[in-house]
Amino acid sequence: MAGHTGPLVIVGGAEDKKGECKILRRLVELGGGKTARVLVITVATELPVEVGMDYIEVFERIGVEDVRTFDVSKRDAANLDSAVKMIANATCIYFTGGDQLRITKLLGGTRVDAALHEAAQRGVTLGGTSAGASMMSSTMIVEGEAETNPRVSIVDMAPGMEFLDGVVIDQHFAQRGRLGRLLSAVAQYPHHLGLGIDENTAVVVQDHVIEVIGQGAVSIVDAGSVTYSNLDQVGRDESLALCGVKLHTLPEGCGFDLRERKPIPDFKEWIRKHNKELSS
């Protein structure tokens, strides 16, 4: 698992923007609180102005004084000095939903891409919702069929933006019945953990540990201990057999150690013990 010095806030989509805004408030808190400089990246959506204005309104309502939007419709724009400067000035960067392939197609390999990774390394908080969540991993789910049994053909994969190694992320998870396609993904990439994040739910990743926050749950699929798979024997549209897969369902208050592949049932107690060990 590659090192990452800044927090990640990875949201399963449809985060609360009208009520308590718990997830977005946590994002801002990690990104500098009252002095946060928030940059909303709308490259995933085909309605950047409308989506950007919605997020500006939300962030201003929860107390952010400096919030700006950034959109790219052509790759040339992602190589401009002005674009790199916007990334460099932000303390908190948030990717909206839309189409994750637009993010990788328009930003991948550009100066903005490099600036984003430099920002992460110096501790800037990065967040993303829906498509902005899927692209966080090195290998991402592009699209796939929901509410069906695992088959290779039901999920399409592509390289992500590589902010978090060792996982494959799916969003709108329980609401859209995506367990079958996440199982199909980890069957093909068993060295990766599958993270299925429900709507209005997020994982906060710091170092190699995640904390679950929000209304729903996070389903973690671990195929590392699979005892049998027929992946090498079936056609693309034939049913997969997977034996020995581990499934963890973690609501708010729980966590997970990505390096050890172990759930943390009581995250607050784990933090208390961890901090005590560090101070002793």
Side-chain angles (χ1 to χ4, degrees):
M1 185 98 24
H4 178 83
T5 55
L8 296 175
V9 181
I10 305 174
V11 190
E15 70 276 23
D16 173 27
K17 303 184 192 72
K18 296 181 179 179
E20 184 183 359
C21 302
K22 185 173 188 175
I23 292 171
L24 294 179
R25 286 182 185 275
R26 182 65 179 280
L27 174 84
V28 171
E29 176 190 333
L30 290 167
K34 293 182 178 179
T35 62
R37 298 187 299 277
V38 177
L39 182 63
V40 179
I41 297 182
T42 56
V43 63
T45 178
E46 294 183 351
L47 299 169
V49 175
E50 295 88 338
V51 171
M53 289 303 297
D54 284 346
Y55 276 102
I56 286 176
E57 181 182 344
V58 174
F59 281 119
E60 287 182 343
R61 180 162 51 82
I62 64 178
V64 179
E65 295 184 2
D66 187 344
V67 52
R68 308 179 189 197
T69 62
F70 173 70
D71 184 57
V72 172
S73 57
K74 295 182 179 179
R75 282 181 60 86
D76 289 350
N79 286 308
L80 296 174
D81 289 343
S82 57
V84 174
K85 186 176 180 180
M86 290 190 77
I87 303 296
N89 287 338
T91 65
C92 181
I93 300 170
Y94 195 64
F95 286 82
T96 70
D99 181 353
Q100 48 266 46
L101 269 180
R102 282 179 59 87
I103 301 175
T104 55
K105 179 181 73 173
L106 293 172
L107 298 185
T110 66
R111 291 180 64 201
V112 161
D113 184 3
L116 286 165
H117 282 85
E118 289 169 5
Q121 288 300 312
R122 67 174 181 269
V124 169
T125 298
L126 299 185
T129 184
S130 192
S134 289
M135 66 87 194
M136 289 282 182
S137 55
S138 300
T139 303
M140 69 178 182
I141 293 176
V142 175
E143 60 183 1
E145 190 177 341
E147 298 181 341
T148 186
N149 60 306
R151 304 187 308 279
V152 173
S153 63
I154 68 170
V155 63
D156 293 331
M157 313 287 289
M161 292 292 286
E162 301 182 335
F163 295 115
L164 182 62
D165 290 337
V167 301
V168 175
I169 299 164
D170 211 347
Q171 13 78 9
H172 303 281
F173 193 67
Q175 290 75 15
R176 300 186 185 178
R178 290 178 165 175
L179 178 59
R181 79 177 197 178
L182 188 58
L183 282 165
S184 301
V186 297
Q188 298 172 70
Y189 296 86
H191 52 296
H192 287 351
L193 290 165
L195 270 59
I197 309 174
D198 292 351
E199 293 180 355
N200 196 25
T201 308
V203 295
V204 179
V205 187
Q206 299 190 78
D207 296 323
H208 58 279
V209 175
I210 71 173
E211 176 190 3
V212 180
I213 61 172
Q215 186 177 37
V218 175
S219 300
I220 298 183
V221 178
D222 183 355
S225 300
V226 162
T227 56
Y228 174 78
S229 168
N230 66 348
L231 181 65
D232 60 339
Q233 303 168 28
V234 296
R236 282 183 52 80
D237 203 39
E238 294 181 298
S239 295
L240 286 171
L242 297 169
C243 302
V245 175
K246 293 181 182 178
L247 174 63
H248 308 280
T249 302
L250 306 174
E252 183 173 74
C254 296
F256 196 87
D257 188 320
L258 295 171
R259 186 177 296 157
E260 300 293 331
R261 294 188 173 224
K262 290 182 179 179
I264 302 170
D266 188 334
F267 190 78
K268 287 184 178 179
E269 178 63 14
W270 182 89
I271 285 290
R272 188 188 68 78
K273 289 182 178 179
H274 184 68
N275 289 341
K276 186 177 181 180
E277 288 172 2
L278 289 176
S279 62
S280 61

